[in-house]
Amino acid sequence: MAVKFLSSLKIVQQITAVCIVVGLVVRGSEATEHILYSRKLAALVPSPSPILDYHNGALLTGPSNINIYVLWYGTFSPAQKSIVNDFISSFNAAGEAPPSVTSWWKTSGGYKDESKASVSSSLSLSGQFTNSYSLAKNLKRADIASLVEQAVTSSAFPLDPSSIYLVLTAEDVFVEDFCMNSCGFHDHSSSASSVTNTTRLIYAWVGNSATQCPGLCAWPYANPEFESQTTKPLISPNNDVGMDGIVMNIATILAGAATNPFGDGYFQGDARAPLEAVSACAGMFGKGAYPGYPGSLFLDKTTGASYNANGANKRLFLLPAMWDPSSGTCITLS
């Protein structure tokens, strides 16, 4: 059973037109600009805090490392691949100034299984493989599992139960339900096969929405698809709206897969379409977020890009809020 997540805009239902105001916030000895928006009346109505229940299932716990295997389906430039590679490498990067990708992931440590073991604090990029459209450019959701099994069968990837096999599709690849019901999903092999034997493999998919639906899957770096908006979208930190959108959605997927890998971990609502660690906080990136406003973010004074997390190789990223089991609230980095 695939666990899919809707775009932030789909979940919040309403994207409002907003006016940009630039504020100034002092962090330590440095002045850091934040992006602020005018508040509309709808934002004054508080939303109930989500509560994710634990359903007694397995999590991806430590001390074992969570290995990430990336299958690039279609054409990605070296620059595009480096954005994702640097993001995944950021989970183990040392010395990055906070807020960082590492500090964002620390919230996942509050998710514990029945033995009180926490979700693993360590993720690493353990392998990559490029598939040049072996199944053409129109994929069914079931094809994602087939691509992973093919990669394992061909020994492109090892059979690794402590991992997440991540399929990323290029912007010219159409995946079933993409841009309509989801920006990506995670799932697991539920039955034995000649490839997996009795091992349950966790796999996931995220698509590049640059030319298909950036307003749904790369917001706030693109204007909403179904609403008129006179203001310009925020500037993406890596100069690639589609890939910065992929990073946001990978973050959502990794958190969901680690805390609800087999559909019986932490979630709220229907197990077939649950709210998970990040999707429960849809549309929230900074403090003060509300539908149509991502929250207060940091501004790179050189490029004008908005972000909230520092990463490896001096990368900047925008990461969504994650629900914290300890406080029962959505935690943002900025």
Side-chain angles (χ1 to χ4, degrees):
M1 177 183 62
V3 176
K4 64 186 179 182
F5 66 92
L6 306 182
S7 71
S8 298
L9 302 191
K10 282 277 190 178
I11 294 178
V12 299
Q13 295 295 318
Q14 176 187 1
I15 299 301
T16 56
V18 290
C19 299
I20 297 180
V21 178
V22 176
L24 190 67
V25 174
V26 177
R27 294 177 55 83
S29 60
E30 298 182 355
T32 304
E33 287 183 273
H34 279 226
I35 298 296
L36 304 175
Y37 291 77
S38 64
R39 181 179 293 271
K40 297 196 73 175
L41 291 177
L44 301 179
V45 181
S47 300
S49 298
I51 300 295
L52 304 191
D53 295 319
Y54 177 46
H55 296 80
N56 304 316
L59 313 179
L60 295 185
T61 57
S64 299
N65 188 63
I66 300 176
N67 297 315
I68 310 297
Y69 298 95
V70 178
L71 192 157
W72 303 92
Y73 188 86
T75 302
F76 290 87
S77 70
Q80 289 179 318
K81 290 183 177 182
S82 69
I83 293 171
V84 172
N85 291 345
D86 285 344
F87 172 60
I88 297 176
S89 297
S90 297
F91 284 90
N92 287 328
E96 300 298 337
S100 64
V101 175
T102 302
S103 61
W104 176 79
W105 187 252
K106 283 183 179 179
T107 300
S108 70
Y111 290 79
K112 303 179 186 295
D113 66 11
E114 289 186 298
S115 67
K116 304 303 180 183
S118 299
V119 165
S120 178
S121 62
S122 180
L123 291 82
S124 65
L125 181 60
S126 300
Q128 300 183 66
F129 176 70
T130 297
N131 182 311
S132 299
Y133 305 102
S134 66
L135 300 180
K137 295 184 178 182
N138 287 278
L139 303 182
K140 297 293 186 182
R141 295 171 73 88
D143 290 333
I144 303 302
S146 298
L147 289 170
V148 170
E149 289 202 356
Q150 289 173 14
V152 173
T153 300
S154 66
S155 297
F157 295 146
L159 184 64
D160 185 353
S162 300
S163 69
I164 301 172
Y165 297 89
L166 178 61
V167 179
L168 303 179
T169 50
E171 61 185 272
D172 60 347
V173 177
F174 298 88
V175 178
E176 181 182 10
D177 286 343
F178 188 32
C179 298
M180 293 188 296
N181 292 323
S182 70
C183 297
F185 68 83
H186 69 84
D187 202 351
H188 66 280
S189 56
S190 56
S191 60
S193 72
S194 59
V195 176
T196 64
N197 295 317
T198 59
T199 302
R200 295 191 294 182
L201 296 185
I202 302 166
Y203 60 89
W205 159 76
V206 175
N208 186 339
S209 65
T211 59
Q212 297 184 51
C213 56
L216 289 175
C217 296
W219 183 81
Y221 294 133
N223 281 334
E225 296 284 319
F226 304 115
E227 298 286 339
S228 61
Q229 185 165 325
T230 57
T231 58
K232 293 181 179 180
L234 302 184
I235 297 174
S236 66
N238 296 292
N239 199 32
D240 190 318
V241 169
M243 295 308 296
D244 277 307
I246 273 186
V247 166
M248 291 186 288
N249 293 325
I250 289 175
T252 302
I253 281 291
L254 293 181
T259 60
N260 188 32
F262 305 114
D264 53 6
Y266 285 84
F267 66 88
Q268 180 189 71
D270 190 336
R272 294 169 296 181
L275 294 179
E276 297 181 319
V278 171
S279 59
C281 306
M284 299 176 62
F285 296 92
K287 288 181 173 61
Y290 59 83
Y293 168 50
S296 181
L297 306 176
F298 303 123
L299 187 70
D300 186 314
K301 295 180 181 179
T302 301
T303 64
S306 297
Y307 71 99
N308 64 4
N310 296 299
N313 296 321
K314 298 184 178 181
R315 290 280 190 188
L316 302 177
F317 300 108
L318 181 61
L319 302 182
M322 188 186 303
W323 188 78
D324 176 30
S326 299
S327 64
T329 61
C330 295
I331 303 297
T332 62
L333 284 177
S334 60

